[in-house]
Amino acid sequence: MSYDLIIIGAGPGGLTAGIYARTRMMITLILDAGEVGGQLVSLYPDKAIQNYPGFERIQARKLSDKLYAQVESMECEIKDREKVMEINDGKEELIIVTNKSTYHAHSVIVATGMGMFKPKKMGAKGEDEFEGKGVCYILPPKEDLIGKKVVVFGGGNSAIEMALIADAVTNTTIVHRRNEFRCDESNTMALKKSNINAVMGADLVSVNGDGRVRSVTLKQGDRTFDVEADVVLILIGISADLDDLKRWNLELTENGLIKVDYAMRTSRNGIFACGDAVDYEGKYKQITTACGEAATAANSAYKFVKKPYWA
Ligand SMILES: Cc1cc2nc3c(=O)[nH]c(=O)nc-3n(C[C@H](O)[C@H](O)[C@H](O)COP(=O)(O)OP(=O)(O)OC[C@H]3O[C@@H](n4cnc5c(N)ncnc54)[C@H](O)[C@@H]3O)c2cc1C
């Protein structure tokens, strides 16, 4: 059997592409190497998203669940924990090889986001030793934080938003190596109104403990001091693993992301792309932009496969 469309990645981009493809009744399969939902479930499931139109606030996991339910209700086939390894050219079709199987499709949308991303590490003494024993890179469930001292490292939106979630239930400190945060103004305001203790212009020297994290040592100018901690949350960014894109022989920009034209076409015939995996001047990595590009990519795939008279 040959699918009309195979979508690689089930983040908000891939799921939206599935919704649009099914409105065109394209026989569609979505494959994801991990869990359906992409970054929303793997990086910030508890975060309240405030900039997805139509919802004043919606928990990331709930938004992902809604997208999943919508695409499933449209009878789009979805397989999780199946990683795409190769996209080969066949005779008037593409052959998609995963770690489990081989599929045939007339078109492909690459919606792999930041790939199989990993959180960036600070490289401080004790960080590796206490990973999983207090040092973490994803905010633990709120219930597990009650009564604990949380120290968050980072100065971007993610660090501040996670610190705000933790602050709702426990004593929280945020440490940033610069003197100003790099975040949305609404987050700076929320931080000012919160009880979070902000330590600016400070570096992490070491994570200390005795089988579990007990404190962190910070250096601020000439001063070195300890802050008590049970949980050390490090949110200084993610390292994208974009090796798949190179292997798939797609033309990439200097940032290592997929070059697309205005119709979300890639350099390979029949392969389209959307979301965090693509790059162009002015690209803004957000859920809404991923969804918008997904609608265009699905429409382009439809025109490519079905060749309607009006296209
Ligand atoms: C901490 C944090 C907070 C954020 N907050 C917001 C916010 O409030 N509002 C907002 O609009 N945006 C926010 N963003 C950005 C937003 O999450 C991304 O822009 C969005 O998730 C991009 O969607 P995507 O579908 O392109 O990729 P992703 O969500 O990254 O999904 C890609 C999927 O592809 C899968 N995949 C990768 N490689 C393969 C492969 N070879 N085979 C099969 N599957 C594969 C992955 O497993 C993943 O599930 C935030 C990001 C972070 C890190």
Side-chain angles (χ1 to χ4, degrees), residues 4 58 219 254 264 271:
D4 288 327
I58 180 162
K219 188 168 187 329
E254 59 191 18
M264 294 294 137
I271 304 185

Side-chain angles (χ1 to χ4, degrees), residues 8-14 31-35 37-40 43-44 47 49 51 82-84 111-117 158 161 238 244 248 274-277 285-288 290:
I8 310 174
L31 295 165
D32 198 292
E35 208 183 328
Q39 295 173 43
L40 282 70
L43 289 181
Y44 53 96
K47 180 183 157 181
I49 295 171
N51 54 10
E82 186 158 351
K83 182 171 162 56
V84 173
T112 48
M114 301 301 281
M116 305 307 293
F117 42 77
S158 316
E161 284 158 4
I238 48 178
D244 285 339
W248 297 342
C274 62
D276 280 9
K285 288 182 184 167
Q286 289 284 283
I287 300 166
T288 45

